[in-house]
Amino acid sequence: MSDKKIIAVVGATGQQGGGLARAILDDPEQRFALRAITRNPDSAAAQALAARGAEVVAADLDDESSVTKALEGAYGAYLVTAFWEYNSVEREQHQARALAAAAKATGLRHVIWSTLPDTRLHLRDDRVPTLHERYKVPHFDSKAEAEAFFVEAGVPTTFLSTTFYFEAFVDFFRPVRDDDGVLALHLPMGDRRLPGIAAEDIGRTAFGVFVQGPSLAGETISISGENLTGEEYAAAFAKELGTDVAYRPMSVEALRSSGFPGADDLANMFFYYAEHESAFAGARDPEAVRKLNPRLQDFATWLASRREAFQGL
């Protein structure tokens, strides 16, 4: 591995980091070596990466010294936090500060910070309640604030601004039979476009950023695989499943009152998506993303690969 540039990937066994890990390992030109950073190097997923030639290193993002040790000798790093594991802006930003400090201390040449927009630039009134004392969409705004940690540390960083995962249709927004027997898709989007992406493509796009190199440091790259309305998502489901699928928009307040952890955060997020479509969807051009990731999947392509997950609807 010593003759290749090492890319250290935080969360290499997760969705975003896993996509990048596989892109590095599958690269026909083998341009980079993979250092998989994980809390549990003995997990089956970590061992599978090791079996493919990855260097697997343990680190805890709450422990800056362990992160610094894990990044030593690397050329670049993909850095991501897991807000929904702990639902705490304070903890996420503590981890981000540790990541930025470790990246600076180890002299990394190119870092990618997985981020999201600061919704407070647009959500300025009481229609959207303030959460965690000063945030509108905490899991967005926290990451956006943390971008400054990398800038202030002087770390050459590309900011990869992600979006809604297509995988959410499997677990959270799958079509369901309504009381009248109609198979329907419910999204709190009205008639607005919702940019989505396959989780695998976040990592693949990050790989394309590393291939292009530090010339992209300081840039924000906003990504999606396709920007579709609820009607268009429902039509794609109907075509793939061979049955009618209606789009019946749900209200943001219905999502807010659903009672599951983080519902307020997600309700504010969908309000932002819908009410500020030009700011969010307008910043995401799949054709531009495809220049970095030629294998970028649109929704129909992703859905065809996941058809089994929707059998029996």
Side-chain angles (χ1 to χ4, degrees):
M1 293 177 69
S2 60
D3 60 342
K4 298 179 187 176
K5 293 177 179 177
I6 297 170
I7 302 295
V9 180
V10 169
T13 60
Q15 288 185 298
Q16 292 189 29
L20 174 55
R22 287 183 288 275
I24 293 170
L25 293 172
D26 292 341
D27 175 24
E29 298 181 44
Q30 292 291 289
R31 282 166 281 193
F32 302 109
L34 170 62
R35 179 180 294 167
I37 298 178
T38 177
R39 286 172 297 186
N40 183 10
D42 296 323
S43 70
Q47 289 302 301
L49 293 175
R52 293 195 59 191
E55 176 190 8
V56 177
V57 175
D60 181 345
L61 301 192
D62 293 314
D63 177 2
E64 183 180 323
S65 64
S66 78
V67 177
T68 302
K69 184 176 180 181
L71 295 182
E72 287 176 353
Y75 158 81
Y78 184 79
L79 306 178
V80 61
T81 47
F83 179 91
W84 290 113
E85 288 187 6
Y86 38 75
N87 196 20
S88 166
V89 170
E90 182 176 301
R91 186 173 176 189
E92 179 170 61
Q93 294 201 349
H94 174 78
Q95 292 181 348
R97 285 186 186 278
L99 289 165
K104 178 64 174 179
T106 54
L108 295 187
R109 299 284 302 281
H110 192 192
V111 162
I112 297 175
W113 169 242
S114 175
T115 191
L116 287 160
D118 192 332
T119 66
R120 295 167 298 179
L121 299 175
H122 302 280
L123 302 179
R124 298 178 178 273
D125 60 53
D126 292 338
R127 290 181 298 165
V128 179
T130 298
L131 306 173
H132 295 249
E133 298 183 356
R134 62 191 185 91
Y135 300 97
K136 291 299 186 179
V137 182
H139 79 282
F140 275 50
D141 304 340
S142 172
K143 293 177 182 65
E145 276 191 347
E147 292 176 16
F149 306 158
F150 296 90
V151 175
E152 291 164 3
V155 175
T157 306
T158 303
F159 303 101
L160 192 68
S161 185
T162 62
T163 188
F164 178 90
Y165 292 8
F166 290 149
E167 284 77 6
F169 287 112
V170 176
D171 299 319
F172 302 108
F173 295 101
R174 61 190 292 115
V176 295
R177 292 281 172 188
D178 284 347
D179 291 342
D180 60 4
V182 172
L183 183 60
L185 180 67
H186 302 272
L187 288 171
M189 287 296 299
D191 62 356
R192 305 300 174 86
R193 294 174 298 152
L194 173 61
I197 195 165
E200 188 79 8
D201 278 319
I202 299 174
R204 288 175 179 167
T205 305
F207 178 79
V209 172
F210 280 124
V211 168
Q212 191 153 331
S215 64
L216 292 176
E219 299 287 330
T220 296
I221 298 174
S222 300
I223 63 175
S224 72
E226 196 164 20
N227 304 341
L228 300 179
T229 64
E231 291 279 3
E232 290 169 331
Y233 280 115
F237 270 112
K239 183 175 181 180
E240 182 61 37
L241 301 178
T243 188
D244 291 340
V245 179
Y247 173 53
R248 292 177 171 176
M250 67 187 297
S251 71
V252 166
E253 289 312 311
L255 176 58
R256 190 183 308 282
S257 63
S258 61
F260 62 82
D264 270 348
D265 192 331
L266 293 178
N268 287 4
M269 177 188 76
F270 276 102
F271 183 93
Y272 169 69
Y273 282 158
E275 293 296 315
H276 298 281
E277 178 189 35
S278 60
F280 191 75
R284 287 162 165 73
D285 177 6
E287 289 311 308
V289 178
R290 195 163 275 112
K291 293 176 183 177
L292 292 167
N293 173 15
R295 298 174 63 193
L296 183 70
Q297 301 164 83
D298 60 17
F299 181 63
T301 302
W302 175 87
L303 185 58
S305 72
R306 294 299 186 96
R307 184 172 184 173
E308 288 185 1
F310 300 99
Q311 293 302 309
L313 293 178

